[in-house]
Amino acid sequence: MNPVMQLAFDYVESTNTVVFLTGKAGTGKTTFLQQIRQNCKKKLAVVAPTGVAAINAGGMTIHSLFQIPFGPIIPSGDAKPDAYYSAEKRELLENLELLIIDEVSMVRPDVLDQIDLILRNIKECPSPFGGVQLLLIGDLSQLSPIIRDEEWIMLSRYYSTPYFFSSIVMQKAPYVRIELDHVYRQKEQAFVDILNEVRNQSISPKSLELLNARHQPGFHPAKDDPYITLTTHNGLAQQINSEFVEALEGDESEFTATIRGEFPKDAYPTETSLKLKVGAQVMFVKNDSSAEKLYYNGKIGTVTKLAADTVFVQCGESKEIAVQAVEWTNVKYQLEEQQISETTAGSFAQIPLKLAWAITIHKSQGLTFDRAIIDVSEAFAHGQTYVALSRCRSLSGMVLRNPITANNIIGDPAVGRFNEQAKQLQPDAQRLERDRELYRQFLLAELFDFGGLKRKYKGFEELIPDLDPAITDVAEKFVRRLSLCDNDRIKTAAAYFLGKLRETIENLHIQLPAFIGQSKEKATKADQLINWAMARISLMEHFSASDFTSDIYLGLKKYLPANKLGAYLQALNAKPNEKLFFQLITWRDTVAAKDNIMPNMVLSEKTLETIAEKLPPVLKALSAVKGVGPQKAAQYGAEIIAFIRAYEYEMQGQDVQQASLF
């Protein structure tokens, strides 16, 4: 990481301050997002405003995760938008610590205010976003929110601009703006300077002249010269692609996508019915995940051969690439073992190509091209021209279909004013240390917050009537004096609550079985109560003997021991082939520890439960199990099938032994 990226990482890792991470096109914002996903200790979720952006970021859409309607949302402090959330969704959001919003330039202010309202209600915390940290990633000089005139008439009563920074919550929440300043995409300084001027809507006559030197009237690239045309309108892009492919000789081959589960249409990365001919210019729409890294998202090539399930593509002088179907997954978040894990809600499998004589500027965001024909003569929105020009690696790789005028460089003065004012929000080392201490105070208050116990205890009051004064009331008084507490007082408090919690749990364990009876609802609630208390006991045990630090607290929380199988519910509802299920759990945890990843990144417990129940005999059947899929079947299938066969062999042996008794 460069120093600015390191500062941003430190803010995300060691504070809960809202971070707006911005930067010019090609400065590594997407790379930073992936580093946070891989290395951050916090329980996080990634969202984006559109389906395509969500798939590219490896997350969900904002509207899907928070169940937010698409129309304008009038801000209301009294609303309870989370009232109809399922228990699973509510528990997931209760455990959320970091929310990453990618392409935040396209997020409306009312949407951000709705997220704030939901999280404050869920967390029962008055802090902005209920104390959840937000990492907002995007460039306000690029594409802006799409708001129809009639929608803006409604929203303009509450917001001064259609951008996220005009939201009510962002006027209240202390936040920092960190700007990445090293451009990795373009190497020519003259081109970088032109892009900066276009971004700031202040292009000089000299730069405009240099840019328009790339105008070549009637330019037609040679067949072996892979140029892609960037246009402002979707209809024009489709027309160009259709005309070119129809002009090619030879037969057309059709490749049909396989769609499983939930995968929104607006997130399809390419056509469901992909029609190609030899000679077609195509663009890769996914990075090559193999060790060879033969292609990347945005790489242009030409179809050389077509087979039943393979497309052969030539990219310049490099060797021909045999391209077969790959899979995109639609991520869904769920809470398991006190951790937020990703699971697959659906998948889209297709040849990772699309016709690439033309593409809209909107769909080109995030891509990089070596050669492009650009037409922004009909630019109609803020940031379009900048996005189009900044897709190119070099000035020499760009051809302008029409000259660019100052009128084609459309910018929103509100963005310019905000960018200028927000420069004061760039933090330094002193601000970072101050925010770290504020976060430490926040985490201490969280450690001694027994509101979760209070909520989960509802329905069990008759078992231990004096729970509130013994624990919660004392905790509330202690939290109010936290700023005055040194490490010795924190240890003393932890020891006090440790004793009270142990006493409470012991009493509950004695009385719960008779109280639960055969009620699955009571058993589920009892498991949630016990899990919460046991996790808090683990924390109190540690901090009654050791000094409190943010890093240690977050590390302990991430790997808290959990009553994984739900003891009370399990007693009422034993799992099929339970012995195999336990074997698979142990195997899964071992693999995760070896690879230094969360267990649910291997396979979730629900998936392992399904495998134990269905006993898939071969890899094909295993891959069809929800949560497995072809990729994980290929990666782990041999070991899982071996467990299944050994288990079945053992069961057959037991059957023989039992038969001999009679």
Side-chain angles (χ1 to χ4, degrees):
M1 290 190 186
N2 62 45
V4 181
M5 275 192 180
Q6 186 61 54
L7 176 65
F9 186 86
D10 290 342
Y11 251 94
V12 173
E13 188 75 359
S14 61
T15 80
N16 67 339
T17 305
V18 174
V19 177
F20 172 36
L21 183 78
T22 188
K24 306 176 185 74
T27 51
K29 296 186 290 294
T30 301
T31 301
F32 181 81
L33 188 158
Q34 299 307 328
Q35 296 223 0
I36 290 293
R37 285 170 63 96
Q38 293 170 15
N39 300 309
C40 186
K41 295 187 183 77
K42 295 178 181 176
K43 299 171 185 175
L44 63 84
V46 180
V47 294
T50 68
V52 171
I55 294 298
N56 288 340
M60 298 177 69
T61 63
I62 293 171
H63 297 83
S64 178
L65 179 62
F66 290 99
Q67 297 170 208
I68 293 175
F70 286 96
I73 308 166
I74 303 304
S76 171
D78 299 327
K80 293 280 186 182
D82 57 302
Y84 300 103
Y85 283 178
S86 67
E88 291 79 11
K89 175 62 67 70
R90 184 174 291 276
E91 193 172 8
L92 186 152
L93 295 177
E94 279 180 356
N95 282 269
L96 187 65
E97 295 170 333
L98 171 64
L99 178 67
I100 302 174
I101 303 181
D102 196 25
E103 302 292 4
V104 74
S105 68
M106 294 190 282
V107 175
R108 300 192 319 249
D110 57 315
V111 171
L112 205 62
D113 278 336
Q114 189 74 351
I115 293 172
D116 168 55
L117 180 62
I118 290 168
L119 290 175
R120 281 190 287 112
N121 282 339
I122 289 283
K123 296 270 191 177
E124 296 187 3
C125 173
S127 301
F129 304 107
V132 175
Q133 183 180 33
L134 263 66
L135 171 60
L136 309 171
I137 301 177
D139 180 6
L140 286 164
S141 297
Q142 298 191 40
L143 299 178
S144 56
I146 298 173
I147 303 182
R148 293 192 290 269
D149 290 342
E150 60 270 24
E151 294 175 335
W152 183 238
I153 289 173
M154 297 172 63
L155 293 175
S156 61
R157 301 172 191 171
Y158 306 94
Y159 303 108
S160 58
T161 80
Y163 300 96
F164 78 92
F165 57 77
S166 291
S167 61
I168 296 169
V169 64
M170 292 300 284
Q171 311 309 311
K172 300 176 181 177
Y175 67 96
V176 295
R177 175 185 179 272
I178 299 177
E179 182 170 359
L180 302 179
D181 53 9
H182 182 81
V183 178
Y184 294 95
R185 183 177 293 155
Q186 292 89 16
K187 304 299 181 186
E188 302 171 7
Q189 189 57 47
F191 188 30
V192 171
D193 292 341
I194 289 173
L195 290 177
N196 287 340
E197 291 181 18
V198 172
R199 186 174 188 261
N200 298 325
Q201 301 109 49
S202 60
I203 191 164
S204 66
K206 181 180 178 182
S207 294
L208 195 59
E209 181 182 356
L210 186 60
L211 187 59
N212 280 325
R214 301 308 304 159
H215 175 224
Q216 299 182 37
F219 175 79
H220 291 287
K223 287 185 178 180
D224 58 349
D225 208 0
Y227 277 81
I228 185 169
T229 298
L230 274 62
T231 71
T232 52
H233 292 77
N234 190 51
L236 181 56
Q238 290 178 342
Q239 179 185 339
I240 292 171
N241 283 328
S242 297
E243 288 175 356
F244 271 97
V245 78
E246 287 170 7
L248 293 175
E249 297 179 356
D251 296 330
E252 188 176 68
S253 293
E254 184 174 353
F255 300 87
T256 303
T258 301
I259 303 166
R260 294 189 176 92
E262 303 170 20
F263 204 102
K265 289 185 177 181
D266 67 351
Y268 290 173
T270 186
E271 306 297 329
T272 55
S273 179
L274 182 63
K275 298 175 181 179
L276 298 174
K277 288 182 181 180
V278 171
Q281 181 166 291
V282 291
M283 177 178 71
F284 287 90
V285 290
K286 192 175 179 66
N287 294 329
D288 181 11
S289 59
S290 73
E292 296 178 278
K293 307 296 181 190
L294 298 175
Y295 55 83
Y296 55 84
N297 192 5
K299 187 179 182 71
I300 305 292
T302 303
V303 175
T304 53
K305 283 187 296 185
L306 293 164
D309 60 353
T310 307
V311 178
F312 295 85
V313 178
Q314 186 73 49
C315 301
E317 300 298 323
S318 58
K319 69 177 183 177
E320 188 178 62
I321 305 171
V323 188
Q324 293 185 315
V326 296
E327 186 176 73
W328 290 261
T329 55
N330 179 29
V331 168
K332 187 175 182 180
Y333 292 101
Q334 63 183 27
L335 186 75
E336 289 189 357
E337 303 176 37
Q338 308 301 314
Q339 297 299 316
I340 294 176
S341 62
E342 294 179 1
T343 187
T344 300
S347 64
F348 179 100
Q350 175 63 293
I351 304 290
L353 299 169
K354 67 191 314 178
L355 293 176
W357 286 283
I359 189 175
T360 62
I361 294 168
H362 191 277
K363 290 181 179 177
S364 74
Q365 185 152 336
L367 303 180
T368 303
F369 303 117
D370 293 317
R371 295 181 179 86
I373 302 168
I374 294 175
D375 185 2
V376 291
S377 58
E378 296 184 27
F380 59 88
H382 161 80
Q384 268 188 323
T385 298
Y386 174 65
V387 171
L389 298 177
S390 62
R391 299 310 95 198
C392 301
R393 288 190 191 278
S394 65
L395 198 57
S396 58
M398 177 196 306
V399 172
L400 299 180
R401 178 157 284 168
N402 290 295
I404 293 178
T405 68
N407 291 333
N408 301 136
I409 302 171
I410 302 171
D412 191 329
V415 169
R417 288 194 298 271
F418 172 78
N419 282 335
E420 194 60 35
Q421 295 167 0
K423 287 179 181 177
Q424 302 172 15
L425 300 172
Q426 183 83 6
D428 55 17
Q430 186 176 359
R431 170 77 189 268
L432 174 61
E433 286 309 311
R434 189 187 80 190
D435 287 342
R436 276 175 168 158
E437 177 55 28
L438 290 173
Y439 185 44
R440 179 179 175 275
Q441 292 289 327
F442 178 86
L443 293 178
L444 264 173
E446 182 182 83
L447 173 63
F448 293 105
D449 177 13
F450 290 90
L453 180 62
K454 207 171 186 177
R455 291 191 295 274
K456 295 179 188 304
Y457 195 69
K458 287 178 181 177
F460 299 99
E461 293 91 346
E462 62 187 86
L463 301 184
I464 307 179
D466 63 343
L467 173 70
D468 285 359
I471 298 178
T472 56
D473 289 359
V474 176
E476 287 172 10
K477 293 175 184 176
F478 179 72
V479 166
R480 287 196 290 268
R481 296 194 295 269
L482 269 178
S483 60
L484 304 175
C485 294
D486 57 17
N487 273 313
D488 288 339
R489 293 192 69 181
I490 292 169
K491 289 176 186 175
T492 301
Y496 168 81
F497 290 114
L498 174 61
K500 291 295 181 182
L501 282 171
R502 281 176 172 164
E503 181 182 335
T504 299
I505 293 303
E506 287 171 6
N507 291 335
L508 279 173
H509 271 310
I510 294 169
Q511 300 179 60
L512 273 173
F515 180 77
I516 290 168
Q518 291 300 307
S519 169
K520 287 189 177 181
E521 182 182 357
K522 287 183 178 179
T524 300
K525 289 182 178 179
D527 283 329
Q528 292 173 352
L529 171 60
I530 297 297
N531 285 348
W532 191 98
M534 293 305 294
R536 194 55 56 101
I537 283 172
S538 295
L539 291 170
M540 294 299 172
E541 281 178 341
H542 183 89
F543 292 116
S544 64
S546 303
D547 289 350
F548 181 93
T549 70
S550 299
D551 284 346
I552 291 174
Y553 175 71
L554 290 172
L556 289 172
K557 271 184 69 179
K558 189 165 186 176
Y559 298 105
L560 280 174
N563 186 7
K564 296 180 181 179
L565 304 175
Y568 291 100
L569 192 60
Q570 182 190 351
L572 296 177
N573 187 23
K575 290 176 171 57
N577 302 316
E578 196 167 57
K579 183 176 181 181
L580 174 62
F581 174 69
F582 280 115
Q583 290 173 343
L584 291 173
I585 286 285
T586 303
W587 163 81
R588 189 272 312 262
D589 291 351
T590 303
V591 170
K594 180 182 176 184
D595 295 341
N596 196 28
I597 58 177
M598 289 300 298
N600 281 298
M601 294 178 70
V602 181
L603 288 169
S604 72
E605 287 188 7
K606 191 168 184 63
T607 299
L608 294 176
E609 185 179 335
T610 305
I611 292 170
E613 180 182 352
K614 294 187 175 181
L615 300 175
V618 293
L619 288 177
K620 186 175 181 180
L622 178 64
S623 68
V625 172
K626 185 175 180 181
V628 180
Q631 186 174 349
K632 288 189 176 180
Q635 189 173 4
Y636 305 120
E639 293 177 83
I640 293 172
I641 296 296
F643 275 111
I644 292 171
R645 290 177 179 169
Y647 173 75
E648 289 179 323
Y649 182 78
E650 182 182 349
M651 291 300 102
Q652 288 171 1
Q654 289 183 10
D655 290 343
V656 170
Q657 287 179 342
Q658 289 174 5
S660 67
L661 295 175
F662 299 97

